[in-house]
């Protein structure tokens, strides 16, 4: 018979493994969904297209900016998870997951297949103009980097554009519970994380952070010169 304390521990462990991503392990398979954001605009704090704060109003980010603009689509992509409360106007979105380079390309293709942009299948003839979201069935390849700042790295197995009015696309699209680990694939090792994609090692992401800060500074300077 299980003791009370071990039951308690199991209960606690199961609590901790859903849905907060800080308890994830390499090889975990789960469904995630949210706004897709480029790391350039995350690092810049404000989005370059609208000037709005990236983690506050990701729904204002244009598909055009995300997938037509090299400075954005050449940076890493992340999935932003929704604030837990909708009543707080100041609530921020969370940097939930980083996408591998391959998964980023899949998500870019998805955005172009439904969105409104220069490189989109329908050109600008789509009403999906801002706040592109995706729902992904994915596996964790690596945990946080940047001293905990960079969220876990995931690789998507399946991805879809959720109906914008659907508030539980993990369930609708994949029959899965958002953020809950379905199983752990013991074959996945952390090496898979560093081998996939270009910007996955800590050194590279530090570098891209530094260069994006530099470009951002440059843009601001040019803008300043232009306006004066
Ligand atoms: C999610 O991906 C895993 C691969 O890791 C696969 O085994 C599973 O069938 C997928 N689930 C769905 C609902 O697509
Ligand atoms: C792990 O690898 C073994 C051997 O290649 C394979 O038989 C097994 O199905 C794999 N497990 C998963 C969950 O992919």
């Amino acid at each position: 018979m299980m003791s009370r304390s071990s039951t308690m521990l199991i209960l606690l462990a199961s609590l901790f493994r859903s849905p907060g991503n800080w308890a994830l392990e390499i090889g975990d398979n789960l469904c995630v969904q949210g706004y897709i954001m480029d790391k350039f605009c995350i690092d810049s704090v404000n989005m370059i297209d609208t000037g709005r704060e990236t983690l506050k109003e990701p729904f204002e980010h244009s598909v055009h900016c995300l997938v037509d603009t090299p400075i954005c689509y050449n940076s890493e992509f992340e999935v932003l998870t929704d604030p837990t409360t909708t009543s707080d106007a100041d609530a921020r979105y969370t940097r939930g997951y980083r996408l591998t380079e391959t998964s980023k390309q899949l998500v870019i293709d998805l955005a172009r297949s439904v969105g409104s942009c220069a490189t989109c299948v329908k050109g600008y003839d789509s009403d999906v103009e801002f706040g592109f979201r995706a729902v992904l069935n994915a596996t964790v390849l690596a945990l946080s980097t940047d001293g905990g700042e960079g969220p876990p790295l995931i690789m998507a197995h399946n991805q879809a554009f959720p109906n914008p009015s659907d508030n539980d696309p993990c369930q609708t699209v994949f029959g899965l519970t958002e953020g809950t680990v379905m199983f752990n694939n013991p074959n996945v090792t952390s090496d898979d994380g560093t081998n996939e994609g270009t910007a996955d090692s800590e050194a590279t992401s530090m570098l891209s952070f530094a260069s994006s800060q530099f470009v951002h500074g440059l843009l601001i300077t040019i803008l300043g010169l232009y306006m004066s």
Side-chain angles (χ1 to χ4, degrees), residues 29 137 139 157-158 174 176 183:
N29 196 108
N137 172 30
T139 296
H157 301 288
N158 320 83
F174 296 121
L176 299 176
F183 64 91

Side-chain angles (χ1 to χ4, degrees), residues 20-210:
N21 63 31
W22 43 270
L24 289 175
E25 288 166 16
I26 289 166
D28 281 350
N29 196 108
L30 77 170
C31 180
V32 310
Q33 60 99 20
Y35 290 111
I36 301 297
M37 185 59 66
D38 52 275
K39 185 124 186 313
F40 177 78
C41 283
I42 292 171
D43 289 341
S44 305
V45 181
N46 297 308
M47 295 173 285
I48 53 165
D49 51 346
T50 55
R52 306 288 192 91
E53 192 181 325
T54 311
L55 294 183
K56 193 174 172 191
E57 300 179 284
F59 40 84
E60 297 287 355
H61 199 34
S62 65
V63 175
H64 165 68
C65 195
L66 188 69
V67 304
D68 286 343
T69 315
I71 208 169
C72 297
Y73 70 68
N74 283 334
S75 73
E76 283 183 77
F77 276 20
E78 293 188 3
V79 181
L80 302 184
T81 48
D82 297 336
T84 44
T85 161
T86 46
S87 53
D88 179 5
D90 263 343
R92 297 296 190 277
Y93 288 75
T94 302
R95 293 174 56 193
Y97 310 90
R98 293 177 292 143
L99 297 179
T100 63
E101 189 61 25
T102 310
S103 302
K104 180 182 107 174
Q105 292 306 329
L106 293 171
V107 162
I108 288 177
D109 290 347
L110 184 63
R112 287 179 176 152
S113 72
V114 298
S116 167
C117 75
T119 56
C120 287
V121 174
K122 301 176 203 160
Y124 285 96
D125 199 15
S126 158
D127 49 17
V128 184
E129 277 182 88
F130 301 96
F132 173 71
R133 292 177 77 97
V135 54
L136 315 164
N137 172 30
T139 296
V140 176
L141 295 192
L143 303 178
S144 296
T145 55
D146 310 337
E149 193 213 329
L153 176 72
I154 58 168
M155 173 184 81
H157 301 288
N158 320 83
Q159 61 287 325
F161 172 64
N163 186 323
S165 62
D166 186 350
N167 55 22
D168 194 2
C170 280
Q171 192 55 245
T172 314
V173 178
F174 296 121
L176 299 176
T177 305
E178 181 182 349
T180 297
V181 175
M182 303 309 292
F183 64 91
N184 180 279
N185 182 345
N187 296 349
V188 178
T189 65
S190 57
D191 280 344
D192 296 351
T194 41
N195 291 342
E196 256 237 28
T198 51
D200 296 338
S201 78
E202 211 165 312
T204 336
S205 61
M206 293 298 278
L207 244 180
S208 68
F209 178 71

